[in-house]
Amino acid sequence: MYKEKIEKWGLFEWSGEGYSEGNSFRDYDIKAVIKSSDEEKCVRGFYDGDGIYKVRFMPSFEGKYEFRIEGSFSDKVSTGSFEVTAPAGNNRGPVGVCDTYHFKYADGTPYYSIGTTCYVWELQSDELIEKTFKSLEDAGFNKIRFCVFPKHYDFNLREPRSYPYVGTPVDSSGITSENFQDYTGRTDGNDWDLYRFNPEHFRHIERCIARLADMGIEADIIVFHPYDRWGFSMMSGDQDIFYIDYLIRRFSAFRNVWWSMANEYDLFERKNLADWETIGSYFMKNDPYGHLRSIHNCKEFYDHSRSWITHCSIQRQDVYRTAENTDEWRDKYKKPVVLDEISYEGDIQHGWGNISAEEMVRRFWETAMRGGYPGHGETYYDKDDILWWSHGGELHGESWKRFKFLLRILKETRGHGLKSDNSDWKNWDSVMAVPEDDAKFKETGYRIFYYSFMRPSFRIFDMEDNIKYRAEVIDTWNMTVTDAGVHSGRFRIDLPGRQYMAVRLVAQN
Amino acid sequence: MYKEKIEKWGLFEWSGEGYSEGNSFRDYDIKAVIKSSDEEKCVRGFYDGDGIYKVRFMPSFEGKYEFRIEGSFSDKVSTGSFEVTAPAGNNRGPVGVCDTYHFKYADGTPYYSIGTTCYVWELQSDELIEKTFKSLEDAGFNKIRFCVFPKHYDFNLREPRSYPYVGTPVDSSGITSENFQDYTGRTDGNDWDLYRFNPEHFRHIERCIARLADMGIEADIIVFHPYDRWGFSMMSGDQDIFYIDYLIRRFSAFRNVWWSMANEYDLFERKNLADWETIGSYFMKNDPYGHLRSIHNCKEFYDHSRSWITHCSIQRQDVYRTAENTDEWRDKYKKPVVLDEISYEGDIQHGWGNISAEEMVRRFWETAMRGGYPGHGETYYDKDDILWWSHGGELHGESWKRFKFLLRILKETRGHGLKSDNSDWKNWDSVMAVPEDDAKFKETGYRIFYYSFMRPSFRIFDMEDNIKYRAEVIDTWNMTVTDAGVHSGRFRIDLPGRQYMAVRLVAQN
């Protein structure tokens, strides 16, 4: 059973019946060889419950493909073919690293990551999930970071819509905001078969991933996280591999999948660096499509120079200075820098969750102008404990309204991305963003000067005498771009003496 | 000629005629031995022009003093006596270091420095100087940092009211905001006798210092600075010593004098570290009263652990993070940390001169709560180029209105000063300020939790079960202290979810 026509970078799925005696998740295998004139891949399938086995594949070329499926799940061999057509809509293929510090879609379009975090949005009610989709669309986010496992934490005390395993969870009736920490990192009271998945948990997540793909949103999947009362953060190495292998078999054919090995890897009681190396390397070796891979810290940075890590996924280490360190981290790791947690806009009691919208937007611009990629989050106190940061739903803040504008500015960048250029001491007090491969654009000049919380009422520029620059004043908060004339050599640009302003100079041909 | 009655820490001044052939500044000497039953000091006098020599002395005890004045300036020896009475008004004696990181007046009163910078306010017109005095009073500053030498810089192109030396300055008629840098660090075009002072220049500064003393304001005198078109930053070592010796003889008997060797010592073309060591050590050796001594950086910090340095006078090195480094600098130098430049509230084009009032006040609190002492400055663009930062005059900003309130909170501190306490991880996201000698106050608990730009809508406190704390919510921007009840053990304090809030807990006896 399969569709005979799919898009390039779309999802080919075959399903068929097989043996269901014993534990089909563990006892039987299924794999496929799929080939066209341009590629040939061997992919492994998975058991989806109810006697049904599936194989998924993401083709990277147009044209005719043939497949051959076999394995211990059945004594039959299945063969067939399908046609791969041109991509359409938001389908630009999976995102990969480009020019060391940046990203692009497989079709070559630059990808400027403007992400958000909603840890378990997809494990909420259908109604809330629908609200989240709407909010994602309104804000224009193009990446969302979330967990496969449910979350246990302050404001996260309810049961999720489903569990990834068959069994019964610990009784949560006595857990409150006051005592939830006593339950963190416990396994007792739970009764799971950690070799028997609950397929509906994964099917539901897949429906969410697919819908995100349709919307042009990357799904940054957090494989493990420590905010846990069910023991999923405390599994054995064998159980971990059993789980991540299932994830790879099920999810990797979705073009918009990114793998985040962990949220806050350094808070796990029962995992050490060797465990994380095993997990990260397993993804690198077994994901047939080489989706982006990262690991996220609480306090201590992981060594992002490890070969299985494709990009840095960073949580701030300093209460005050984070976005401003983007240059340093680029230099250190020579990989794209994604600041997946730079604090949350909100007003909750926790110090990581109550910065202003202005400060959030400022951190976005600081990061983006330095050639990094910022991540949003929101934690406004809510009487029903529905906080965007974990549950999605509606956005209550002010920062999210300003990201489409930043994305527009980034899309107008020349080349594949920006970097900051500190070579001119006169700009010590601002971020001068230039194209990553500036040498290529030297003749055609492109500069954004970002002034952050500083409030100059004018600035003097010393540019080339022989290049005419179109000057624009950008108000990053009010989202306006105002023409400020064409200039050469030394000239003055007036500014309103407010925070969060920038000046863009673009050479005129 | 002298007054027979002066206050303790007041200024005793003797004046008399002497030889005026040749160069009286250099060719004759005058010194005095002054003693009471409690102290005996040998102090040196100075030539004040017009054939008049003077000797100044600051007594540190009450009671009867006798003096004997002699030297090559005259063939007569003068003797006499005077009576020292109790200090009155704002006279609490000179400020010195206390408890390693803090300051106190000689009478034991804690001194919490809330300073400002007006580089050459005293070299402006009488009218402008009067405005400055009024502004200083309105704002409640208790320290002002300023130069003896005139300043040449953007917005500082006019001639000062007087020059320190006899001679003629470079013609300034062609200097503009555009080309002023071409004149910086030049000596040509000037014609000075660098061994012949203009006494009126110093007399005028002394009148300003004395009036500051009456107002209870410390005069942080900048001895050298590099923003110069007259060559005063380029003098020889011998000329430097000749000058600083004159400063010591004239100024050191004013109780409110502090010596700042330089503004931005690292920008001088013709001075190296050995020169600064010579200058600083000279003050240490020759100032009879041991006034506070510091040296201020532009980019590179001086080694503030040098023995002649009594406290750190710091200019931020980082655009983003300065006040937050107070703890680090305290630990490193084991001296009081005075952040004399943490950027200026304003809207000028230069990146050091355009932060918001909110950010300035935030930096003040961040510094103060960490046991350092912040310094204000203001640079609002003005059509007549009158900027507080250099010229004094009126204050146009919003931050200055909020420093008396901070000073009030500091004065309510238990003990001699605050420090931050990071021992409790639950406060990683706030500054918990405690008394410097907290051990002494453990039984009577005193805590300020400062939340900076964070906006918690409530906080949970875990305090001792057996101590009753009076809780107050402090709005550092709106300058309110609101009672939040008496609590023990674990309790919750509601906050308005705005920036710049603090909670103070004071144990009730």
Side-chain angles (χ1 to χ4, degrees):
Chain A
M1 214 173 54
Y2 59 97
K3 278 193 203 161
E4 290 179 351
K5 227 172 204 179
I6 63 155
E7 283 178 21
K8 178 178 173 183
W9 303 310
L11 187 84
F12 169 79
E13 183 177 283
W14 176 95
S15 70
E17 293 187 355
Y19 300 123
S20 56
E21 293 77 23
N23 180 352
S24 298
F25 296 102
R26 190 168 55 179
D27 298 343
Y28 304 99
D29 198 21
I30 171 168
K31 59 185 169 184
V33 174
I34 305 183
K35 60 185 172 185
S36 76
S37 59
D38 295 300
E39 66 172 332
E40 173 170 340
K41 275 202 158 74
C42 178
V43 298
R44 295 173 303 136
F46 61 93
Y47 182 62
D48 195 33
D50 307 318
I52 301 296
Y53 290 79
K54 288 183 174 172
V55 167
R56 287 174 179 163
F57 172 70
M58 177 184 76
S60 296
F61 296 89
E62 294 175 43
K64 193 182 174 197
Y65 278 74
E66 292 184 335
F67 65 83
R68 176 187 171 86
I69 292 168
E70 59 192 320
S72 61
F73 79 105
S74 169
D75 51 12
K76 282 179 283 184
V77 171
S78 299
T79 57
S81 66
F82 57 94
E83 183 71 25
V84 176
T85 61
N90 283 319
N91 180 359
R92 293 183 286 263
V95 171
V97 172
C98 155
D99 291 354
T100 309
Y101 301 106
H102 301 283
F103 299 106
K104 67 176 178 191
Y105 293 101
D107 77 352
T109 310
Y111 169 76
Y112 304 105
S113 180
I114 298 282
T116 190
T117 291
C118 305
Y119 285 116
V120 283
W121 70 281
E122 91 286 14
L123 303 183
Q124 310 302 315
S125 70
D126 287 346
E127 187 193 344
L128 198 52
I129 289 171
E130 283 308 315
K131 282 188 185 168
T132 306
F133 279 121
K134 173 151 192 334
S135 298
L136 290 170
E137 181 143 47
D138 289 348
F141 291 119
N142 58 22
K143 179 166 87 72
I144 180 169
R145 208 166 65 95
F146 61 95
C147 307
V148 175
F149 289 145
K151 177 164 181 166
H152 165 78
Y153 193 70
D154 201 6
F155 309 111
N156 288 264
L157 305 177
R158 286 188 283 252
E159 300 297 327
R161 63 183 291 145
S162 60
Y163 285 98
Y165 294 97
V166 172
T168 46
V170 61
D171 175 16
S172 62
S173 57
I175 306 178
T176 67
S177 187
E178 299 282 296
N179 72 6
F180 78 91
Q181 274 160 342
D182 303 338
Y183 290 77
T184 306
R186 273 172 53 174
T187 55
D188 56 309
N190 287 290
D191 183 18
W192 305 113
D193 182 345
L194 294 172
Y195 292 96
R196 203 177 282 270
F197 298 107
N198 168 18
E200 180 48 28
H201 186 78
F202 295 89
R203 273 183 228 127
H204 168 71
I205 294 177
E206 285 154 9
R207 285 189 292 269
C208 293
I209 294 172
R211 196 150 148 201
L212 291 172
D214 287 345
M215 295 167 70
I217 301 173
E218 302 299 301
D220 198 354
I221 293 170
I222 297 168
V223 177
F224 292 101
H225 71 83
Y227 298 105
D228 174 34
R229 68 173 179 258
W230 304 281
F232 305 142
S233 65
M234 320 276 277
M235 300 193 298
S236 70
D238 185 57
Q239 288 161 344
D240 284 348
I241 295 294
F242 192 71
Y243 159 63
I244 65 178
D245 194 59
Y246 195 64
L247 284 191
I248 292 168
R249 290 164 184 249
R250 290 199 71 120
F251 291 175
S252 63
F254 291 89
R255 66 173 170 272
N256 60 327
V257 159
W258 299 24
W259 304 116
S260 175
M261 301 310 143
N263 194 44
E264 306 190 336
Y265 81 92
D266 46 334
L267 296 191
F268 284 75
E269 270 182 51
R270 295 210 193 148
K271 282 189 174 44
N272 57 29
L273 285 186
D275 295 325
W276 293 118
E277 286 294 306
T278 301
I279 291 164
S281 303
Y282 194 90
F283 274 96
M284 181 167 67
K285 197 178 283 176
N286 292 286
D287 169 3
Y289 312 101
H291 287 294
L292 292 165
R293 294 174 300 272
S294 69
I295 185 163
H296 190 69
N297 65 295
C298 178
K299 288 162 194 155
E300 197 82 18
F301 276 19
Y302 206 88
D303 174 8
H304 295 297
S305 61
R306 299 292 301 146
S307 64
W308 59 265
I309 297 179
T310 56
H311 64 282
C312 312
S313 168
I314 285 176
Q315 176 166 193
R316 58 137 190 206
Q317 288 177 305
D318 185 285
V319 173
Y320 304 92
R321 203 188 140 105
T322 293
E324 298 76 15
N325 293 343
T326 302
D327 317 76
E328 186 187 322
W329 294 325
R330 281 173 42 117
D331 280 358
K332 181 165 183 184
Y333 298 113
K334 303 275 188 265
K335 290 180 183 177
V337 170
V338 183
L339 300 187
D340 278 311
E341 274 186 284
I342 48 178
S343 229
Y344 292 80
E345 180 190 342
D347 63 358
I348 61 169
Q349 73 272 36
H350 306 296
W352 48 263
N354 50 33
I355 64 169
S356 68
E358 289 85 349
E359 177 64 8
M360 177 62 85
V361 174
R362 192 190 73 76
R363 293 180 186 197
F364 262 65
W365 277 79
E366 283 282 355
T367 306
M369 294 300 108
R370 295 168 187 277
Y373 295 97
H376 160 269
E378 198 188 279
T379 44
Y380 280 100
Y381 186 71
D382 179 80
K383 66 175 173 25
D384 300 318
D385 283 358
I386 308 294
L387 283 73
W388 176 262
W389 141 81
S390 249
H391 315 93
E394 284 167 25
L395 285 156
H396 302 285
E398 285 293 322
S399 65
W400 67 270
K401 300 173 185 171
R402 283 144 178 103
F403 300 142
K404 277 185 180 169
F405 179 74
L406 169 57
L407 193 54
R408 168 193 144 186
I409 300 293
L410 290 174
K411 285 182 174 172
E412 291 167 3
T413 295
R414 294 192 179 172
H416 257 101
L418 294 169
K419 67 179 174 188
S420 77
D421 179 330
N422 305 313
S423 59
D424 184 354
W425 68 267
K426 288 198 301 297
N427 296 313
W428 68 269
D429 56 336
S430 58
V431 185
M432 181 171 87
V434 302
E436 184 69 62
D437 42 0
D438 193 35
K440 204 197 283 182
F441 297 95
K442 266 273 185 279
E443 293 300 302
T444 52
Y446 185 95
R447 302 277 179 273
I448 303 177
F449 300 84
Y450 176 61
Y451 299 111
S452 191
F453 53 68
M454 279 155 277
R455 310 179 304 164
S457 49
F458 68 90
R459 292 286 286 197
I460 303 292
F461 296 88
D462 276 305
M463 303 302 288
E464 302 88 338
D465 287 326
N466 61 338
I467 298 182
K468 281 190 173 135
Y469 283 94
R470 165 70 59 193
E472 292 160 309
V473 172
I474 300 175
D475 184 330
T476 69
W477 180 255
N478 294 306
M479 298 176 283
T480 57
V481 178
T482 310
D483 183 33
V486 174
H487 309 267
S488 294
R490 186 172 169 87
F491 55 92
R492 168 182 167 137
I493 300 294
D494 285 314
L495 290 159
R498 286 199 304 269
Q499 298 182 109
Y500 318 128
M501 304 299 298
V503 170
R504 181 165 59 177
L505 303 180
V506 183
Q508 304 297 289
N509 297 321
Chain B
M1 214 169 56
Y2 59 95
K3 279 193 201 161
E4 289 177 349
K5 229 175 202 175
I6 63 155
E7 282 178 20
K8 178 178 172 181
W9 303 310
L11 187 82
F12 170 78
E13 181 177 282
W14 175 95
S15 70
E17 293 185 356
Y19 300 122
S20 55
E21 293 78 26
N23 179 351
S24 298
F25 294 103
R26 189 166 56 178
D27 299 344
Y28 305 100
D29 197 22
I30 172 168
K31 58 185 170 186
V33 174
I34 306 182
K35 59 184 173 184
S36 76
S37 59
D38 295 299
E39 65 171 333
E40 174 171 338
K41 274 204 159 75
C42 179
V43 299
R44 295 172 305 136
F46 61 93
Y47 183 61
D48 195 33
D50 308 318
I52 301 296
Y53 290 79
K54 289 183 172 169
V55 166
R56 287 173 178 163
F57 172 71
M58 177 183 76
S60 296
F61 296 90
E62 293 174 44
K64 195 182 172 193
Y65 278 73
E66 292 186 337
F67 66 81
R68 177 188 171 88
I69 292 167
E70 60 193 319
S72 62
F73 80 104
S74 169
D75 52 10
K76 282 179 285 188
V77 171
S78 299
T79 58
S81 66
F82 56 95
E83 183 72 25
V84 176
T85 60
N90 283 319
N91 181 359
R92 294 183 285 261
V95 171
V97 171
C98 155
D99 291 354
T100 309
Y101 302 106
H102 301 282
F103 300 106
K104 67 176 177 190
Y105 293 102
D107 76 352
T109 311
Y111 169 76
Y112 304 105
S113 181
I114 298 283
T116 189
T117 291
C118 305
Y119 285 116
V120 285
W121 69 282
E122 90 287 14
L123 303 183
Q124 309 303 313
S125 69
D126 287 346
E127 187 194 345
L128 197 53
I129 289 171
E130 284 309 314
K131 282 188 185 167
T132 307
F133 278 120
K134 173 151 193 332
S135 298
L136 289 170
E137 182 143 44
D138 289 347
F141 291 118
N142 57 22
K143 178 166 89 72
I144 180 168
R145 207 167 65 97
F146 61 96
C147 306
V148 175
F149 289 145
K151 177 165 182 166
H152 166 78
Y153 193 70
D154 200 6
F155 309 111
N156 288 263
L157 305 177
R158 285 188 285 253
E159 300 297 327
R161 63 183 290 146
S162 61
Y163 284 99
Y165 294 99
V166 172
T168 46
V170 62
D171 176 16
S172 63
S173 57
I175 307 177
T176 66
S177 187
E178 299 282 296
N179 71 6
F180 78 91
Q181 274 161 341
D182 303 337
Y183 290 78
T184 306
R186 273 173 50 174
T187 55
D188 55 311
N190 288 288
D191 183 19
W192 305 112
D193 183 344
L194 294 172
Y195 292 96
R196 204 177 282 269
F197 298 105
N198 168 18
E200 180 48 28
H201 185 79
F202 295 89
R203 273 184 227 126
H204 168 70
I205 293 177
E206 286 154 10
R207 285 189 293 268
C208 293
I209 293 172
R211 200 154 144 199
L212 291 172
D214 287 346
M215 295 167 70
I217 301 173
E218 302 300 299
D220 197 355
I221 293 170
I222 297 168
V223 178
F224 293 101
H225 72 82
Y227 298 103
D228 175 34
R229 67 174 180 258
W230 304 282
F232 305 143
S233 65
M234 321 275 277
M235 301 193 297
S236 71
D238 186 57
Q239 289 161 345
D240 284 349
I241 296 295
F242 192 71
Y243 158 64
I244 65 177
D245 195 58
Y246 194 64
L247 284 191
I248 291 168
R249 289 165 183 247
R250 290 200 73 122
F251 291 175
S252 62
F254 291 89
R255 67 173 171 271
N256 59 328
V257 160
W258 298 24
W259 305 116
S260 174
M261 302 309 142
N263 194 44
E264 306 190 338
Y265 81 93
D266 47 333
L267 296 191
F268 285 74
E269 271 181 50
R270 295 208 193 149
K271 283 189 175 43
N272 57 30
L273 284 185
D275 295 325
W276 293 118
E277 286 295 305
T278 301
I279 291 164
S281 303
Y282 195 91
F283 274 96
M284 180 166 68
K285 196 178 282 177
N286 292 285
D287 168 4
Y289 312 101
H291 288 292
L292 292 164
R293 294 174 302 271
S294 69
I295 186 163
H296 190 70
N297 65 295
C298 177
K299 287 162 197 157
E300 197 81 16
F301 277 19
Y302 206 89
D303 173 8
H304 295 298
S305 61
R306 298 293 301 146
S307 65
W308 59 264
I309 296 178
T310 56
H311 63 284
C312 311
S313 169
I314 285 175
Q315 176 168 192
R316 57 137 191 207
Q317 289 177 303
D318 185 286
V319 173
Y320 305 92
R321 201 187 141 106
T322 294
E324 297 77 14
N325 294 342
T326 301
D327 318 73
E328 184 187 323
W329 295 325
R330 280 171 44 115
D331 279 358
K332 180 165 184 185
Y333 298 114
K334 303 275 186 264
K335 290 181 183 176
V337 169
V338 183
L339 299 188
D340 278 312
E341 274 186 286
I342 46 178
S343 227
Y344 292 81
E345 180 191 343
D347 63 359
I348 60 169
Q349 73 273 37
H350 306 296
W352 47 264
N354 50 33
I355 63 169
S356 68
E358 288 84 349
E359 176 64 8
M360 177 63 84
V361 173
R362 191 190 73 76
R363 292 180 186 199
F364 262 65
W365 277 79
E366 283 280 356
T367 307
M369 294 301 106
R370 294 167 186 278
Y373 295 97
H376 160 268
E378 196 187 280
T379 45
Y380 280 100
Y381 186 70
D382 179 79
K383 67 176 172 26
D384 300 319
D385 284 356
I386 308 294
L387 284 73
W388 175 262
W389 141 80
S390 248
H391 314 94
E394 287 167 22
L395 286 157
H396 302 284
E398 286 294 321
S399 65
W400 67 270
K401 300 173 185 171
R402 284 144 177 103
F403 300 141
K404 277 185 179 170
F405 178 75
L406 169 58
L407 192 55
R408 169 193 144 187
I409 300 292
L410 290 174
K411 285 181 174 171
E412 292 168 3
T413 295
R414 293 194 177 169
H416 258 101
L418 294 170
K419 67 180 175 190
S420 77
D421 179 330
N422 306 314
S423 59
D424 184 355
W425 68 269
K426 287 198 301 297
N427 296 312
W428 68 270
D429 56 337
S430 59
V431 185
M432 181 171 85
V434 303
E436 184 69 62
D437 42 0
D438 193 36
K440 204 198 280 181
F441 297 94
K442 266 276 186 277
E443 293 301 301
T444 53
Y446 185 95
R447 301 279 181 271
I448 304 178
F449 301 83
Y450 176 60
Y451 300 111
S452 192
F453 53 69
M454 279 153 277
R455 310 179 304 165
S457 50
F458 68 90
R459 292 287 287 197
I460 302 292
F461 295 88
D462 275 304
M463 305 302 288
E464 302 88 337
D465 286 326
N466 61 337
I467 299 181
K468 281 191 173 131
Y469 283 94
R470 163 71 59 195
E472 292 160 309
V473 172
I474 299 175
D475 184 330
T476 70
W477 179 255
N478 294 307
M479 298 177 283
T480 57
V481 178
T482 310
D483 183 36
V486 174
H487 309 267
S488 295
R490 184 173 171 87
F491 56 92
R492 168 183 167 136
I493 300 295
D494 285 314
L495 289 160
R498 285 198 305 269
Q499 298 183 108
Y500 318 129
M501 304 300 298
V503 170
R504 181 164 60 179
L505 303 181
V506 183
Q508 304 297 287
N509 296 322

